[in-house]
Amino acid sequence: MKSHWRRDHAGFSMVELLVTIIIAGIGFAAMVPLFVQAQQNTSADNMRNVTLQVAQEKIEMIRLLDYDDVTQAKLDDESFDNSQFGNSYTYTGGSGNSRTLSVAYTVALVPETQEDGTATVEGEEDYKQVSVAVSWSGPPEPVRAASLTTSVYRQYAGASITSFEVGPITFFFNDSAFT
């Protein structure tokens, strides 16, 4: 009588387990560079978003300035307008780590030249075009600066707007006030 050995009761052999572990190890080792690259790309994207937000913040602060205060010298000055400007910005991340970002301003008078071909001097321009570029020194690499531009116009007509407060409207009728 011949006895049959049944494979389904035996389980895996040690050789089969070793081959499976080796194949899985090779697969996982091949995936490690993908995870590293994904992490680096995420870090670069996060820094790009941070620089873009800082540039947007600086643009908004420039828009709040008086027209005559929008000059290259004042924007580059670290002490101007309660130290809100200058060529560096310290960013503190969620983990508590801080990083110094570089901020570069460019103020251009528009038009750059007059009809006679001479350069436009301060006060003769139609408006000012201001660019803000924010970057970091790596890592993560490659460093790509975020750059935003805005146009600032002088207010010519009417009283200067100093407050946007809204209150109840008061009407006068025959020397009596109504709200």
Side-chain angles (χ1 to χ4, degrees), residues 19-36:
V19 168
T20 304
I21 290 172
I22 290 171
I23 291 172
I26 291 169
F28 291 139
M31 285 195 263
V32 167
L34 295 175
F35 291 122
V36 170

Side-chain angles (χ1 to χ4, degrees), residues 96-127:
N97 297 336
S98 64
R99 187 160 203 173
T100 301
L101 305 176
S102 298
V103 181
Y105 303 96
T106 305
V107 179
L109 304 177
V110 180
E112 293 179 1
T113 58
Q114 298 294 325
E115 292 176 11
D116 61 2
T118 60
T120 301
V121 294
E122 187 81 31
E124 295 179 357
E125 74 278 359
D126 294 336
Y127 61 95

Side-chain angles (χ1 to χ4, degrees), residues 92-172:
T92 304
S95 62
N97 297 336
S98 64
R99 187 160 203 173
T100 301
L101 305 176
S102 298
V103 181
Y105 303 96
T106 305
V107 179
L109 304 177
V110 180
E112 293 179 1
T113 58
Q114 298 294 325
E115 292 176 11
D116 61 2
T118 60
T120 301
V121 294
E122 187 81 31
E124 295 179 357
E125 74 278 359
D126 294 336
Y127 61 95
K128 296 177 183 178
Q129 193 164 31
V130 183
S131 296
V132 178
V134 181
S135 65
W136 69 93
S137 55
E141 299 285 342
V143 175
R144 293 187 180 105
S147 183
L148 297 176
T149 302
T150 188
S151 297
V152 181
Y153 292 84
R154 181 186 316 264
Q155 181 180 345
Y156 289 106
S160 178
I161 299 172
T162 58
S163 175
F164 291 103
E165 293 182 24
V166 178
I169 299 173
T170 303
F171 298 99
F172 292 95

Side-chain angles (χ1 to χ4, degrees), residues 55-82:
Q56 182 65 41
E57 176 186 3
K58 297 295 183 184
I59 286 285
E60 295 301 327
M61 289 190 308
I62 289 168
R63 289 178 180 162
L64 293 174
L65 292 174
D66 288 337
Y67 183 82
D68 294 332
D69 286 338
V70 180
T71 64
Q72 187 74 49
K74 287 185 178 181
L75 295 179
D76 288 337
D77 185 5
E78 297 282 340
S79 62
F80 172 65
D81 200 33
N82 296 324

